[in-house]
Amino acid sequence: MSVTIYVPGDSGALAVGADEVAAAIVAEARERGLAVDLVRNGSRGLYWLEPMVEVATPQGRIAYGLVGAEDVEDLFDADFLSGGEHELRLGAPEELPFLKRQTRLTFARCGVVDPLSLSDYESHGGLAGLRRALGMTPGEIVQEVTDSGLRGRGGAGFPTGIKWKTVLDAPGPRKYIVCNADEGDSGTFADRMIMEGDPFVLIEGMAIAGIATGATKGFVYLRSEYPHAIQVMDEAIRIARKNKVLGGSVLGSGQAFDIEVRVGAGAYVCGEETSLLNSLEGKRGVVRAKPPLPAHKGLFGQPTVINNVISLASVPVVLEKGAAHYRDFGMGRSRGTIPIQIAGNVKRGGLFEAGFGMTLGELVDEIAGGTASGRPVKAVQVGGPLGAYFPRELFDTPFDYEAFAARDGLIGHAGIVVFDDTADMLKQARFAFEFCAIESCGKCTPCRIGAVRGVEVMDAIAHGAPPEAQVALASDLCNTMKFGSLCALGGFTPYPVMSAIRHFPEDFKPAKMAEAAE
Amino acid sequence: MQPSGTQTDFEDVAARVSAVIAENAHLEGPLLPILHGVQGEFGCVPQEALPVIADALNLSRAEVHGVMSFYHDFRANPAGRHIVRVCRAEACQSMGGARIAELAKVLFNADFGETSADGSVTLEAVYCLGLCACAPAVMVDGKVVGRVDAGRMEDIAGEVLA
Ligand SMILES: Cc1cc2nc3c(=O)[nH]c(=O)nc-3n(C[C@H](O)[C@H](O)[C@H](O)COP(=O)(O)O)c2cc1C
Ligand code: SF4
Ligand code: FES
């Protein structure tokens, strides 16, 4: 009898040697005359344990991690094919505290199934949401999504159901569903994980969006930095088409919907929705003024839903289990679950999906286990390069859109990046300006020029210019950028800059520089 | 360093570009897929390709150039034999990414955006590879590498400079 072994094909696992481990397992099994069935699953998101290998035993799946190719022979000696004892044995993956404390709705299948097996997908609840949607009117589907309380996971937190309603009500000969898979924020990888680990859930979510709004064509705008995700998505779409999940008659409903992957070209600003639409149309990725809203006049001037990967991938479970089931998780106006991405200098980095409401401190100290370096945590940047730096004093902030906004921060795409006490917040503020300067689309002066000036101001402080005047200058600049920018690239760069200045004033003082110069 | 602004020396540019255009002509908004296709074919988007694309899409040459130059991915000149992209974004910074970036410059004797004198390596900065829980991260010719420390970076240099 053949034993099934799971070795993730997720890029995060590949980056730390998963292919080498897979090859070693196959070679060792052949040498020993043992039959193994190798499945390249997605990642469970416990990245500090990757490559994490799982074996299907009669007692359920047993995980081993962090496995190196050099450990494989030893694992076979320990009879890991039957779940044998070994120092790398972690036990049942679901029992690991990092996974056990999660509520996996959107990521329920990620790391569990074979990403490109449609039958695996269906046997784990896949397509149930789409089937239910096909028995409803468009208005009913939209209402269900609205009732779930789902808000856009791309950053702005706009209610997904309301956006869909606008497109449903907008007249147009042709409508589009555009999936924003540009995931440019540092510290985020949830979109990548779902596309590599459970691509059919995104396809299903987009198909539901199409059926709900009358759109027949979908695009996934996928960043070029994600070659593996592009490959998996392309293949999954081909399989979905072959099995009539996509095409002229979705699951035999008579309604058409198809999807095409489009590869970005390395511009961060193209994650901004209107810039993305320009890019899809084959133009420079310059931000468009709103109105008109994309929902009225979007891609090629047609009514367009544009949603983040996670927003769309959360729709199938809403339809499958009902709006109330989803809405019951969370706090305040932040309903459902949020896949938090824990990254940077942490002991346990990875994907942590939970209902809204956990505090930043719980996430950093308990879940992530503090820093990888073992040094004290100094700052945590939440929400990508346009997100604020939080000091320990604000660790009681619950993960909730409004709570972060109340503290001059944002959740964004829910990435958190931890820095230890060696971080220099002056450098981080400088980088925020520099990044804005590099990625600015160039349309507004405060962003294009302000960011460059900001870098100069930070350099002046570093070179010993009297800091009070320079900090005042930086604050002024930030004010101009905040109010004079068309989009959040220029408009939110003040968040990381001003939070660094406000919470870590000692890093913007001359004494510090004298010390650093030694 | 790769001389910039010079004419590249490719054969059959018009025919090969036309073939790429033909493959993508049926798409809605075909320009980006065409530019990716052309770069896949030549390793860059040669100057001579612009008028061919412009003609086919009924655009001006300046418009095509404007689009091409907007995106960091498209290059006017070929890269070195290998492309090493080092992530310089925050999660990698928090794990000592700056030291890895400095080391890369020394190992390849090139600054970011440059190609080493012998044409073996082009060094590029990238802002996040989605490997932020395995930082610092780099990409070598499309292959991802995480938890990069000095030793690993030296290994990478050994492989691509060999
Ligand atoms: C500079 C900039 C970059 C952005 N990058 C992304 C991105 O990579 N992915 C994303 O989903 N949204 C991104 N957004 C937000 C989008 O503009 C938009 O709000 C989102 O795609 C809407 O989808 P949602 O409602 O499902 O979140 C970005 C916004 C700005 C201003
Ligand atoms: S704020 Fe910056 S990126 Fe946004 S539209 Fe203005 S110039 Fe472009
Ligand atoms: S910040 Fe370097 S991989 Fe994300």
Side-chain angles (χ1 to χ4, degrees):
Chain A
M1 214 197 69
S2 171
V3 179
T4 305
I5 301 184
Y6 297 83
V7 180
D10 170 281
S11 338
L14 297 181
V16 291
D19 273 347
E20 289 74 8
V21 172
I25 289 174
V26 169
E28 191 67 28
R30 185 176 308 126
E31 190 142 307
R32 296 179 188 228
L34 299 168
V36 298
D37 228 339
L38 186 70
V39 174
R40 301 307 298 269
N41 55 333
S43 172
R44 297 258 195 182
L46 285 65
Y47 279 110
W48 78 99
L49 295 173
E50 292 287 4
M52 186 169 104
V53 175
E54 292 177 46
V55 186
T57 74
Q59 301 82 44
R61 277 157 79 154
I62 298 295
Y64 294 81
L66 167 168
V67 179
E70 66 282 1
D71 300 315
V72 167
E73 193 182 339
D74 212 35
L75 282 167
F76 273 91
D77 285 344
D79 193 21
F80 87 127
L81 291 187
S82 328
E85 241 351 288
H86 189 276
E87 60 176 336
L88 299 181
R89 188 181 192 274
L90 301 165
E94 303 78 17
E95 294 304 316
L96 295 168
F98 191 90
L99 262 181
K100 210 179 164 106
R101 283 190 69 174
Q102 301 193 35
T103 304
R104 288 221 162 172
L105 300 183
T106 308
F107 279 78
R109 277 172 299 263
C110 193
V112 178
V113 297
D114 176 346
L116 290 173
S117 161
L118 193 56
S119 60
D120 238 17
Y121 182 66
E122 284 202 70
S123 66
H124 286 79
L127 297 184
L130 177 57
R131 290 213 165 84
R132 178 163 170 247
L134 287 168
M136 297 160 75
T137 65
E140 285 167 353
I141 304 172
V142 168
Q143 192 60 47
E144 188 90 20
V145 173
T146 306
D147 290 345
S148 74
L150 177 65
R151 292 165 71 177
R153 303 291 189 239
F158 188 82
T160 304
I162 310 261
K163 189 180 277 187
W164 288 20
K165 175 94 170 69
T166 313
V167 175
L168 170 62
D169 292 342
R174 190 166 163 76
K175 298 180 186 178
Y176 295 98
I177 307 297
V178 173
C179 170
N180 189 340
D182 203 45
E183 195 165 65
D185 289 359
S186 166
T188 68
F189 43 83
D191 297 353
R192 179 186 64 65
M193 275 183 70
I194 218 69
M195 291 189 286
E196 293 178 350
D198 192 17
F200 293 122
V201 78
L202 176 56
I203 292 171
E204 183 179 355
M206 289 179 73
I208 295 172
I211 305 293
T213 57
T216 50
K217 177 72 188 273
F219 286 99
V220 179
Y221 186 90
L222 221 170
R223 67 199 298 253
S224 61
E225 292 85 347
Y226 284 180
H228 295 92
I230 293 167
Q231 221 175 337
V232 179
M233 277 314 300
D234 268 335
E235 184 62 13
I237 289 168
R238 202 187 56 75
I239 294 168
R241 223 177 261 146
K242 197 166 134 222
N243 289 279
K244 310 264 188 288
V245 176
L246 293 175
S249 174
V250 169
L251 295 176
S253 64
Q255 308 194 55
F257 189 74
D258 211 335
I259 301 177
E260 199 182 312
V261 171
R262 279 298 167 84
V263 179
Y268 174 76
V269 74
C270 285
E272 195 284 333
E273 55 188 14
T274 61
S275 157
L276 188 156
L277 295 175
N278 276 337
S279 184
L280 269 178
E281 291 180 9
K283 300 176 182 151
R284 291 164 68 88
V286 177
V287 174
R288 299 178 183 171
K290 286 187 261 188
L293 292 173
H296 291 131
K297 277 186 188 308
L299 189 58
F300 303 110
Q302 302 304 317
T304 302
V305 168
I306 174 156
N307 272 135
N308 171 253
V309 172
I310 300 300
S311 313
L312 290 162
S314 298
V315 166
V317 71
V318 167
L319 268 293
E320 180 198 349
K321 302 206 163 148
H325 180 263
Y326 191 80
R327 189 185 52 217
D328 282 351
F329 296 95
M331 72 173 275
R333 289 175 50 221
S334 306
R335 310 310 316 174
T337 58
I338 176 89
I340 296 162
Q341 299 124 85
I342 303 173
N345 197 333
V346 285
K347 208 169 270 151
R348 294 187 286 271
L351 185 112
F352 193 89
E353 181 178 356
F356 283 93
M358 281 178 85
T359 66
L360 188 55
E362 281 176 283
L363 289 163
V364 172
D365 294 328
E366 292 174 32
I367 306 297
T371 61
S373 60
R375 303 181 65 98
V377 174
K378 177 166 181 176
V380 183
Q381 188 177 29
V382 183
L386 307 175
Y389 285 99
F390 277 65
R392 182 167 281 283
E393 295 75 64
L394 297 180
F395 273 16
D396 60 341
T397 314
F399 232 82
D400 162 77
Y401 291 103
E402 281 67 40
F404 266 78
R407 289 185 163 176
D408 290 323
L410 50 100
I411 287 184
H413 190 42
I416 71 179
V417 177
V418 177
F419 291 79
D420 72 11
D421 64 350
T422 59
D424 176 351
M425 301 314 289
L426 174 62
K427 276 197 185 139
Q428 298 310 124
R430 182 192 191 279
F431 177 75
F433 277 130
E434 184 189 13
F435 184 73
C436 181
I438 294 171
E439 300 294 342
S440 170
C441 85
K443 191 159 181 160
C444 351
T445 317
C447 168
R448 193 183 64 240
I449 309 290
V452 177
R453 285 286 295 128
V455 171
E456 291 165 6
V457 171
M458 293 300 137
D459 285 344
I461 298 179
H463 292 121
E468 293 78 18
Q470 298 301 318
V471 164
L473 208 57
S475 309
D476 251 15
L477 257 175
C478 281
N479 230 15
T480 310
M481 288 175 74
K482 188 168 175 182
F483 296 105
S485 297
L486 186 57
C487 87
L489 181 49
F492 287 7
T493 292
Y495 277 117
V497 173
M498 293 311 296
S499 59
I501 292 175
R502 187 174 317 122
H503 301 307
F504 308 93
E506 63 283 3
D507 285 9
F508 295 80
K509 292 216 168 92
K512 157 113 202 343
M513 297 326 301
E515 197 182 294
E518 273 167 22
Chain B
M1 234 208 95
Q2 200 67 47
S4 58
T6 53
Q7 287 287 304
T8 42
D9 198 13
F10 291 108
E11 285 175 29
D12 308 325
V13 172
R16 287 158 73 191
V17 170
S18 296
V20 171
I21 294 170
E23 266 168 50
N24 294 287
H26 65 287
L27 300 175
E28 299 174 81
L31 184 49
L32 254 64
I34 288 172
L35 290 172
H36 274 303
V38 169
Q39 183 147 304
E41 178 75 23
F42 299 95
C44 68
V45 181
Q47 283 293 311
E48 306 91 301
L50 301 184
V52 186
I53 299 171
D55 260 6
L57 300 189
N58 221 349
L59 298 168
S60 72
R61 185 197 158 109
E63 282 173 297
V64 178
H65 179 264
V67 172
M68 179 203 152
S69 59
F70 181 86
Y71 297 96
H72 301 299
D73 277 4
F74 301 125
R75 51 178 97 250
N77 293 291
R81 287 188 294 283
H82 300 282
I83 300 177
V84 175
R85 312 180 80 187
V86 179
C87 177
R88 310 208 58 190
E90 291 91 336
C92 288
Q93 292 166 9
S94 78
M95 288 296 280
R99 281 196 304 279
I100 298 300
E102 287 308 312
L103 177 60
K105 287 204 267 188
V106 173
L107 290 170
F108 300 122
N109 194 20
D111 206 338
F112 283 93
E114 290 183 355
T115 300
S116 60
D118 63 353
S120 59
V121 184
T122 296
L123 185 61
E124 289 184 343
V126 61
Y127 296 93
C128 194
L129 294 164
L131 305 170
C132 335
C134 312
V138 308
M139 189 182 258
V140 185
D141 298 331
K143 189 176 177 295
V144 286
V145 190
R147 293 183 200 138
V148 177
D149 54 15
R152 191 77 198 85
M153 195 70 224
E154 279 159 13
D155 291 347
I156 291 169
E159 286 160 31
V160 297
L161 293 174

